[in-house]
Amino acid sequence: MLPEQKMDSMRFLYSKGVLSCSSDAPPITTFLESLPGSYTTTRTHENGTTLLFWERHLKRLSNSTRILLNSNPELIFKTNKKSPLLFSPFPVTALKWESRIRSLVSNSLSQVLPIALKERSKGEELAVTALVSGDIEKLKAMKNVGGGGDDDDKGVFQVLDLHLHIGSYIPPVFGIEESGAHLALVGHGRDLADAKYSDWVRLRKPLEKLRPPSVTELLLSNDGDRILEGCMTNFFVICQRDMSEAEGKYLDGYNNVYSVEVQTAPVSDGVLPGVIRELVIEVCHSKGIPVCEVAPSWEKHQLWEEAFVTNSLRVLQHVETIKVPQPWESLKSKCFEGISWIEKKFEGPGIITKVIQCRKRSWREPARKATH
């Protein structure tokens, strides 16, 4: 379930030169389940005037597409499991990929974004999802795709389609109790976490049966202790640290030695390199806030003073509660009623979370102006 967009909200889908509106355009979850491919999602900001972190999203979409084509093309092309795709990796430079992806997205965006902006209701922003999918019939008709020639990059882009989904979105208000996240640890980490692909929407569906009431996001771990990420978010905690390691670290404006550090799982552990995750780490470095890329350990949750999750729609959302199954093996149960839960509670956004959130004003710089 993707709670960010209302089921009856305004929607647009631009696919293969055809624009579908409202009832003819599927909800975002249905759209992602219907097509294989790499994708990225961002939103407008300041009453639809900008697209948040657009350059970073184009780069992430390019990287995801390249990773999937080189390691698991079945996640780009809808194929028959009995007849898997067999072709060599594409020797295309990252710069070429980014340029081609940018061209694909820009052409589609110029067709639909101005229309969506005119139809946008007051107080609403727009959630924008760009998905790159492969055309299996075009692929079958081609010869020597990925064979190593100089024109291989041109060949593969002839079999890729760009689909653009836009829907209305109301950003949550930071800091109020109703806007806090409620998390539950329910499943194992995902494969190919360094790429964002639509098939994950289908693969994570079985985890919904384990979702306790009122939980807004599901967390992932491979051992029940080290928490990797959420199904739709990156996960951060602010954890007490050894003060002997904190000498010389000061919080701007507070003249107080940091006694805590920000922790989040490293990409190498199998987490999505989220756009906002990267920005949070940059903010921590710029403010002198200690940050450690290590998966937060539930065994040390008594040391956690704050927690928050990030993604490109919510941006940063403080955590109110975290539920963890006891024991971890009880997740083999078919529903949440058969599981005993231990709960960790937080009292609203803490001081470090607020400091990072306040820096969001400076995050507007990478945005792209939306065109009416």
Side-chain angles (χ1 to χ4, degrees):
M1 175 179 173
L2 291 175
E4 287 86 3
Q5 295 183 40
K6 299 176 293 184
M7 295 300 291
D8 59 349
S9 64
M10 174 195 70
R11 296 188 298 270
F12 295 90
L13 175 62
Y14 189 74
S15 179
K16 297 184 177 180
V18 177
L19 177 63
S20 303
C21 306
S22 298
S23 59
D24 293 329
I28 182 62
T29 303
T30 304
F31 164 66
L32 291 174
E33 289 179 337
S34 67
L35 289 169
S38 58
Y39 77 99
T40 193
T41 296
T42 186
R43 66 172 173 88
T44 61
H45 181 55
E46 295 182 331
N47 293 314
T49 57
T50 58
L51 283 169
L52 282 176
F53 324 121
W54 187 238
E55 295 301 317
R56 294 178 188 245
H57 278 282
L58 289 176
K59 184 176 181 179
R60 201 259 296 275
L61 181 61
S62 171
N63 289 339
S64 293
T65 306
R66 189 158 47 93
I67 290 169
L68 295 181
L69 280 172
N70 286 331
S71 61
N72 199 334
E74 288 79 9
L75 293 174
I76 289 281
F77 296 90
K78 187 175 290 185
T79 62
N80 188 329
K81 293 183 179 180
K82 296 181 179 179
S83 302
L85 287 175
L86 296 174
F87 52 74
S88 303
F90 299 95
V92 186
T93 66
L95 186 61
K96 282 186 177 181
W97 272 97
E98 196 168 335
S99 174
R100 295 296 181 102
I101 292 294
R102 183 187 303 275
S103 177
L104 282 174
V105 176
S106 296
N107 290 340
S108 296
L109 197 64
S110 65
Q111 298 297 318
V112 62
L113 185 58
I115 299 173
L117 287 169
K118 289 180 180 179
E119 296 295 326
R120 180 182 64 89
S121 299
K122 185 177 180 179
E124 289 184 342
E125 298 291 350
L126 299 177
V128 179
T129 298
L131 183 144
V132 176
S133 186
D135 189 318
I136 190 64
E137 297 305 320
K138 290 181 181 178
L139 181 65
K140 290 178 180 179
M142 293 184 67
K143 295 182 180 180
N144 299 323
V145 177
D150 293 336
D151 293 331
D152 280 347
D153 61 319
K154 297 179 182 178
V156 68
F157 275 95
Q158 292 176 11
V159 301
L160 296 180
D161 294 316
L162 192 284
H163 308 269
L164 194 69
H165 187 284
I166 297 181
S168 57
Y169 173 72
I170 301 177
V173 179
F174 175 78
I176 63 174
E177 184 175 351
E178 292 79 8
S179 68
H182 297 271
L183 316 180
L185 183 62
V186 300
H188 292 267
R190 59 196 181 99
D191 296 327
L192 281 175
D194 52 346
K196 193 175 180 73
Y197 54 94
S198 59
D199 202 40
W200 173 239
V201 176
R202 177 187 62 82
L203 293 173
R204 71 182 184 227
K205 265 191 169 182
L207 299 179
E208 290 296 330
K209 297 177 181 179
L210 302 175
R211 181 191 293 265
S214 77
V215 163
T216 58
E217 171 66 315
L218 303 176
L219 295 175
L220 306 175
S221 172
N222 289 327
D223 59 10
D225 177 43
R226 294 172 295 173
I227 300 178
L228 300 174
E229 61 182 342
C231 283
M232 299 184 292
T233 61
N234 287 114
F235 175 68
F236 294 77
V237 302
I238 288 80
C239 185
Q240 295 177 22
R241 66 197 296 253
D242 186 345
M243 287 298 293
S244 65
E245 301 176 357
E247 293 183 6
K249 301 286 186 178
Y250 292 91
L251 178 59
D252 291 357
Y254 291 90
N255 193 31
N256 198 2
V257 175
Y258 279 114
S259 60
V260 296
E261 66 181 8
V262 177
Q263 296 181 351
T264 191
V267 172
S268 58
D269 275 6
V271 304
L272 182 73
V275 169
I276 308 301
R277 176 190 180 276
E278 180 182 27
L279 283 162
V280 166
I281 293 173
E282 290 175 10
V283 167
C284 289
H285 288 319
S286 70
K287 299 292 290 184
I289 300 173
V291 57
C292 183
E293 292 190 63
V294 60
S297 170
W298 177 253
E299 289 185 358
K300 299 180 180 179
H301 72 270
Q302 297 90 345
L303 302 178
W304 297 355
E305 296 188 357
E306 309 171 33
F308 59 87
V309 291
T310 62
N311 70 14
S312 292
L313 291 183
R314 307 173 194 177
V315 183
L316 186 151
Q317 183 180 30
H318 74 277
V319 171
E320 294 281 346
T321 62
I322 301 176
K323 296 179 185 292
V324 170
Q326 185 62 35
W328 170 247
E329 291 74 20
S330 64
L331 285 180
K332 295 178 181 179
S333 173
K334 295 183 179 180
C335 60
F336 72 89
E337 289 94 342
I339 302 173
S340 297
W341 301 91
I342 299 175
E343 186 176 75
K344 168 80 173 180
K345 293 184 179 181
F346 301 91
E347 295 184 2
I351 186 171
I352 302 297
T353 303
K354 289 179 180 178
V355 167
I356 297 172
Q357 169 68 14
C358 286
R359 292 291 295 176
K360 189 174 69 172
R361 295 175 182 175
S362 66
W363 299 356
R364 298 173 185 175
E365 296 177 1
R368 173 191 187 274
K369 285 188 177 181
T371 304
H372 285 270

